[in-house]
Amino acid sequence: MATTLDAIETALFTALDTKRQTAGAALTTTRPFRSVARWSAEGRPEDVAEAAAGVCPSALLVYLGSDAVTGRGGDDYVETLGHDGEVVEDHLFGVYVTVADTRGDAATVKGGTALPGVLACSHAVADALAGLRVSGLKSGGVVHLDRRRPLARTASGATHVLYFRARAALAATTETLPGVPLARVDTTVNDATPDVDTETVTLAVERTPIT
């Protein structure tokens, strides 16, 4: 089973958007965002703050790159049980969470009436994406929370970033490996003590075909 980077990003954004509050409604800890949007690249703190200006609290989803998972010997593919070669990647995504609160650090962190703080907003993102099941993913079929970090503090608020990983294979095999798939498992059970003429005593023989 495989999936595409675009499909993973769509699933993440759809889940994240459930944390956006309807326009005009009061913000809550379960729906703390005025804006949920996409960001095209890893940004500087000032760029993120500018993108979020006027629509805070906000969550910006960004794709941050992929790393190939190496197999035995450092090859860029992983051998499957069916003896195929499979290119597997860890995809890294980030979510920039920005809260604007001019009342100071305590209000920015903890929030107040109808304005969740940056920690509550960060928790809402983790709640939406950590453990999210996406069809075609490996490693349990879920999105994994990698880490959370404060990114920047400005005069108007603060930005935290959460990192998520999703492991998936490319849709098609890209390597042809030598050998043939395993077709049968042969098992022989011998007595630990040889018989009187020192010959091995076989207790059981099992040949199990793999279908």
Side-chain angles (χ1 to χ4, degrees):
M1 182 178 289
T3 188
T4 65
L5 180 60
D6 186 63
I8 297 169
E9 194 273 350
T10 297
L12 289 172
F13 186 83
T14 300
L16 183 61
D17 198 45
T18 64
K19 299 300 180 178
R20 178 173 54 86
Q21 185 57 284
T22 305
L27 298 175
T28 67
T29 54
T30 55
R31 286 180 174 267
F33 296 113
R34 289 293 181 203
S35 173
V36 172
R38 290 177 167 95
W39 189 252
S40 60
E42 188 170 16
R44 299 174 301 172
E46 55 267 33
D47 294 332
V48 176
E50 181 180 353
V55 287
C56 290
S58 70
L60 299 176
L61 175 66
V62 57
Y63 165 64
L64 296 174
S66 302
D67 296 310
V69 178
T70 56
R72 290 178 297 178
D75 295 317
D76 63 347
Y77 57 84
V78 177
E79 186 175 352
T80 68
L81 291 177
H83 208 66
D84 292 325
E86 179 176 66
V87 177
V88 179
E89 293 178 290
D90 270 332
H91 303 297
L92 180 64
F93 292 86
V95 178
Y96 294 112
V97 173
T98 302
V99 172
D101 198 319
T102 58
R103 295 175 297 169
D105 283 344
T108 299
V109 172
K110 301 301 291 183
T113 303
L115 183 60
V118 69
L119 294 184
C121 292
S122 172
H123 179 80
V125 172
D127 181 63
L129 302 186
L132 177 69
R133 291 199 171 275
V134 179
S135 178
L137 288 187
K138 292 184 171 294
S139 294
V142 300
V143 175
H144 298 274
L145 175 62
D146 196 50
R147 60 191 184 277
R148 312 188 206 189
R149 295 289 187 273
L151 180 66
R153 177 71 170 94
T154 65
S156 59
T159 298
H160 285 196
V161 59
L162 293 85
Y163 298 95
F164 297 89
R165 287 192 179 274
R167 177 170 290 190
L170 297 182
T173 295
T174 58
E175 299 285 346
T176 301
L177 301 181
V180 296
L182 187 64
R184 190 182 71 194
V185 175
D186 294 348
T187 304
T188 301
V189 179
N190 296 327
D191 195 318
T193 304
D195 66 5
V196 292
D197 56 0
T198 70
E199 292 293 327
T200 300
V201 178
T202 300
L203 300 179
V205 176
E206 180 72 25
R207 289 183 172 83
T208 304
I210 296 176
T211 58

